[in-house]
Amino acid sequence: MDFGYLVAAICFVVALKGLSGPKTARTGNLIGAAGAVLAVILVLTGEHIEHRAAILVTIALGAVAGVLSARRVAMTAMPQLVALFNGVGGGAAAIVAAVELGSVHGRGPLVAALFTLVVGSVSFSGSAVTFAKLQELMTSRPVLFPGGPLVFGALIAVDVAACVVGYRVQDNGPVELLAAVIVLLSLVVGILFVLPVGGADVPIVISLLNAFTGLTVAASGYVLGNTLLIVAGTLVGASGTILTRMMAAAMGRSVASILFGAFKGGSTAGSQAVSERPVRSAHAEDVAVLLGYARKVVIVPGYGLAVAQAQHTIHEMVEALEARGVEVLYGIHPVAGRMPGHMNVLLAEASVPYHQLKEMDEANSELPSTDVALVVGANDVVNPAAKTSPGSPIYGMPILSVDEARAVVFLKRSMRPGFAGIENELLYSPKTTLLFGDAKDSLTQVLQALKSL
Amino acid sequence: MSEGMALLTIFVLAVFVGFEVISKVSAVLHTPLMSGANAIHGVILVGAILVTGQSDGTAQLVLGLVAVLLATLNMVGGFVVTDRMLEMFGRGRRPAPRPPDDTGRGT
């Protein structure tokens, strides 16, 4: 039994190690899944478990729902789904702690149970808010209200106080009532925790909540005296923390500024006003001429490309350009799309050859010798404000320097600012041409025009 | 060593393993790594099964079964969605005309 748990724990370590390398990632994930299945079989056969039938039916239901949602979700909606899965995990941990709260013995397990109750609930409601933001059920902009930080701080204080009371009265008090109060307070804390975070930073918060859930799983392992839960939860908590910092670094931000930056005002809020300054907009034919007679073109794809499902169209257009002898590369920003690495998944889905995908540094060394930089549905990741204006919320974020190319073409739906809500000076530059419209329609028109060139 | 101390030792050692195992990861793999780690904490299913199997009264049983459902969703959905992402990386890579060792650079 315990030996089996050890094997499962080793599987999880190997899985995380595998997932951090491109060649071993898929195998790593499968090893993790095997470890998880082994653990479930062990607990169902080895421990004293009643209600086996009901448990098995519930697992079957959950598994069917999990597989269906994971298989059916559009690649563009992937970040929301990860947030959702993370939230339900936190919820499950909180429930486990709530049920155990009445029967734990000793100070350590009691503290661990209270911790799980609080952090699991925070993870659940926080993930729900990130889901709503990414699914655009609510605004993806930071939500602020006067006194927000005060209310947030006060709620945490009350929540901790409730936990202290719970700790004191444990055996001879109204445990159920206290547990309900703590859960309720923590759910509100989770919501207030995520509301002020701006759209572009949401994935980093998901990663942080993921680490939180890991820690709650570890704590519930302590409550239940189960070593596997301790090891698995701690692994996720620790690696999730590192991953959160790496993601933040890829955006040139610190985790603290992402979480609390909006409170200081001005942060990811930016300006929502659309300026009246003139821009140069063009027809698809003009863009086709520009691209068709270039020697080197660098394409910068963004989330707008994915939303329009234009991955396949752009791949066709690139083939048409290559047939004319134009050298074409894709410059992929690490956070293009809505999550780090999201754009690579989307382009891989459209069978874009891997060797055309250039990482940011490589793409930046190509851009000064590029004739046309074609920006499709991206904005923040090419915004020079990140380099030039220290006051800007995205200042310091590494960007693709498309302004160094000889000409820049933006395919945009409108003049609306990007996910981070900041205006892009490059749109008004004399070397910039804009083609308005849905990315897929625009690319189809450009492709038609290219063929008749 | 008391049982509590033994569990604490396991916890502390696991923290270090968790830090060490993720050393340097290309940004491209951030999303699948997050998603995979997310699936691993779905192992809370083990805890949910224990609580349900030793539950006391209908309320605890129902709560436990809800936890089992949520945890299964986390675990199964998490591993499947991660595999789906990584499968696409594989597909995009194969038609590349470059030698396969080129793929090891972390992109």
Side-chain angles (χ1 to χ4, degrees), chain B residues 4-76:
Chain B
M5 200 58 216
L7 295 178
L8 195 63
T9 309
I10 292 172
F11 169 75
V12 173
L13 292 179
V15 169
F16 283 97
V17 175
F19 282 153
E20 282 305 311
V21 88
I22 309 293
S23 42
K24 194 171 179 298
V25 186
S26 154
V28 179
L29 282 172
H30 282 174
T31 299
L33 178 59
M34 183 212 300
S35 174
N38 175 40
I40 289 177
H41 68 50
V43 79
I44 184 64
L45 178 56
V46 167
I49 292 172
L50 281 173
V51 164
T52 314
Q54 291 153 13
S55 62
D56 184 14
T58 317
Q60 287 203 353
L61 177 64
V62 171
L63 273 177
L65 286 176
V66 173
V68 169
L69 184 71
L70 295 182
T72 311
L73 200 59
N74 180 189
M75 189 171 110
V76 176

Side-chain angles (χ1 to χ4, degrees), chain A residues 234-285:
Chain A
T234 312
L235 280 175
V236 176
S239 59
T241 309
I242 300 271
L243 182 60
T244 307
R245 291 187 49 190
M246 285 199 292
M247 280 183 174
M251 298 178 77
R253 317 264 319 255
S254 75
V255 177
S257 73
I258 286 166
L259 294 179
F260 306 112
F263 284 140
K264 282 183 252 152
S267 186
T268 40
S271 96
Q272 207 174 10
V274 175
S275 108
E276 299 287 319
R277 282 182 290 168
V279 292
R280 187 166 67 176
S281 71
H283 294 288
E285 290 75 19

Side-chain angles (χ1 to χ4, degrees), chain B residues 83-106:
Chain B
D83 187 63
R84 208 175 136 209
M85 271 186 241
L86 293 167
E87 179 191 6
M88 281 175 181
F89 279 138
R91 236 195 308 143
R93 199 159 287 167
R94 238 168 276 135
R98 299 236 187 129
D101 61 349
D102 189 51
T103 55
R105 285 179 317 166

